[in-house]
Amino acid sequence: MTLWNILLDTLTQGSIYFLIAVGLTMVYGILKILHIAHAAVYTVGAGVGLAVFRLTGNFWAALAAAMVVSGAVGVLIYRGVYFYMLDQPRIVPLITSVGLFLLMQDLLQKPYLMGPYQHAFPAQDVFPSLTLPWGTVPSAQVMILVFTALTLGVLYGVFTRTRLGLAWQAAAMDRDMAGAVGVNLNRAIALNFLLGSALAGAAGVLVGVFYNSVYATMGDVPSYKAFVVIVLGGMGSVSGTVAASFLLALAETVLLSSVGYVLPRDAIAFLVLILVLMFRPQGLLGR
Amino acid sequence: MTDNRQPLLTVDHLVVTYGHIQALHGVSLQVAAGEAVAILGANGAGKSTLIRALVGWVIPAAGRVVYAGRDITHAPSWERTRLGLAVVPEGGRVFRDLSVEENLRLGAYLETNPARVAERMDYVYRLFPVLKERRRQIARTLSGGEQQMLAIGRAVMRGPQLLLVDEVSMGLAPLLVDAVFDALQQLKEEGVALLIVEQNAYETLRVVDRGYVLENGRIVLAGTASELRENPRVQMAYLGGG
């Protein structure tokens, strides 16, 4: 593997990890709930995106629909389920979330939804591939990198420049106190789920197109890998999640290209997790 | 005591329980507009529970809280804040990883007029000049006293009609206690009603018009500040001997 390939692979994988994990981080930041069902929201996004793409042939319509539906599903999960567990010990929403994930994934495997098959997502060459002096960036990767760069910019702006972003930060530090200064927590948390879930839905579409494959259990690996990312990033820290996503992707790519497939890619994440928990249990950027 | 003023806050037979433990056993009290009222009591008397119920952090098992003619017993905290309540909670509870200025901005979260936000920030900086010096500093790096000042400043940013103050002197050096109570005195003179929950009866009775004594979740004594200061029971328990 050339250096260029390592870099490109790291950026692409890191982007995917980030898009999936950031919603989990945002939810954990405010509610301290490990929202495992987030990975099913990601699959819903991929499914909706594919359905709309088949109907319209338009990638942008598919991406938009996936974000809208996933965002709505996220809000529904909050208002319909977690909302009633906010005062319960944390194990209650955690177990609920695992149950919800299995329920949603089993539903998605029903023949009238996605069935037990892999579906192609043939939205290729939406973007032109990019030729740089060091090498070529294929179309699907241009799409992922552009979308991630835009998302990072928008998130940074929302968190640091808007009233809502300040309210989210405050609620992540002290939820009750944020309510007492006047933040409508019901609305702020619903919007938090809306944005995080919409990004997971977008990630579902991007991954589906990148691997040209969408299937009901595609959330399995992300469900635990996103968990690794938010632990590495320091539980609830958005900037930590950015760092952890790309560092994990870098570790995976470098190990695979130097040592080869001694370990499956997904096992490396847990190797990194164990090392971090041993030597820096507060996460990479956590305190 | 000037009872011709309209009651701004009426607490009526408030009962709060945590599991099977009853923390408040039917507490009733009133605060008029612009009036400063103390709740004195020892640790565990239920003072902080009372504040939590008034802010909306615990929902009472029975009783009513009426603010400016509206029943807010079950209202979420942000709606109470919208109506003109603000709180300086026990320990300050500043937003640790945000700057002093961001904390103050959050205090004025419901104020959409930027000119008024700037005006109130100037006011807070005049009240506590040290906050102005440290306005870019992250809140968790402030000293305990500065964090309490920031907590008061954040509450003042709301422009409240009624300020709830919970154990503001706890853990502060005497000089800082004076500074904090001077600030409360100034707020009172500007017409803000105060409900001050304190163990430090000496400083509190200097600022308030009236007070209640809370013991084991019940009001056991009520009177004007001077009546309470003269009361042997209060002297014994809260003013350090007789």
Side-chain angles (χ1 to χ4, degrees), chain A residues 160 163-164 166-167 169-171 173-188 287, chain B residues 52 55 57 77-78 81-82 87 89 92-93 95-98 102 105-107 109-110 112 140 154 158:
Chain A
T160 59
R163 210 162 148 261
L164 177 65
L166 199 58
Q169 290 192 59
M173 288 167 220
D174 188 337
R175 196 168 77 223
D176 277 350
M177 196 60 227
V181 296
V183 175
N184 182 332
L185 291 173
N186 289 344
R187 211 181 54 194
R287 276 182 209 92
Chain B
R52 294 176 63 79
V55 177
W57 289 340
S77 48
W78 52 92
T81 305
R82 193 176 290 282
V87 63
R93 288 174 76 164
F95 297 112
R96 296 172 44 78
D97 298 332
L98 296 178
E102 285 169 323
R105 284 199 183 285
L106 275 161
Y109 188 77
L110 294 173
T112 45
R140 94 184 100 82
R154 181 180 61 189
R158 173 68 197 101

Side-chain angles (χ1 to χ4, degrees), chain B residues 51-234:
Chain B
I51 292 284
R52 294 176 63 79
L54 296 181
V55 177
W57 289 340
V58 291
I59 298 300
R64 284 198 331 148
V65 180
V66 179
Y67 180 80
R70 287 182 55 169
D71 187 333
I72 59 164
T73 317
H74 299 281
S77 48
W78 52 92
E79 269 165 34
R80 301 173 193 226
T81 305
R82 193 176 290 282
L83 292 174
L85 240 112
V87 63
V88 181
E90 189 176 344
R93 288 174 76 164
V94 297
F95 297 112
R96 296 172 44 78
D97 298 332
L98 296 178
S99 70
V100 167
E101 195 170 300
E102 285 169 323
N103 267 277
L104 294 178
R105 284 199 183 285
L106 275 161
Y109 188 77
L110 294 173
E111 182 55 69
T112 45
N113 178 349
R116 206 166 299 157
V117 174
E119 195 179 292
R120 288 203 194 125
M121 205 172 283
D122 277 347
Y123 175 80
V124 170
Y125 286 154
R126 278 201 305 279
L127 207 58
F128 300 119
V130 64
L131 293 183
K132 185 169 191 180
E133 286 165 34
R134 303 187 182 238
R135 64 185 185 278
R136 304 243 172 271
Q137 208 168 309
I138 299 300
R140 94 184 100 82
T141 66
L142 299 177
S143 73
E146 288 160 355
Q147 289 193 21
Q148 285 291 9
M149 291 178 195
L150 180 55
I152 297 173
R154 181 180 61 189
V156 169
M157 289 298 290
R158 173 68 197 101
Q161 289 172 292
L162 171 61
L163 187 58
L164 307 169
V165 185
D166 193 1
E167 302 282 12
V168 75
S169 74
M170 201 158 62
L172 295 192
L175 210 64
L176 280 171
V177 174
D178 282 342
V180 161
F181 276 94
D182 286 347
L184 292 177
Q185 174 80 42
Q186 190 178 333
L187 289 172
K188 182 196 158 194
E189 278 159 19
E190 281 164 33
V192 179
L194 302 172
L195 183 65
I196 305 178
V197 158
E198 262 298 337
Q199 290 193 60
N200 186 338
Y202 180 79
E203 288 280 355
T204 310
L205 290 175
R206 187 166 70 83
V207 173
V208 298
D209 306 304
R210 286 189 305 121
Y212 299 88
V213 175
L214 195 63
E215 273 176 20
N216 298 318
R218 289 189 175 82
I219 303 266
V220 294
L221 201 63
T224 65
S226 54
E227 281 166 7
L228 289 177
R229 212 180 288 117
E230 302 302 319
N231 186 295
R233 193 168 169 182
V234 172

Side-chain angles (χ1 to χ4, degrees), chain A residues 38-64:
Chain A
H38 189 63
V41 174
Y42 154 85
T43 312
V44 167
V48 169
L50 179 59
V52 171
F53 183 75
R54 280 179 180 162
L55 280 175
T56 64
N58 185 328
F59 169 78
W60 298 107
L63 185 67

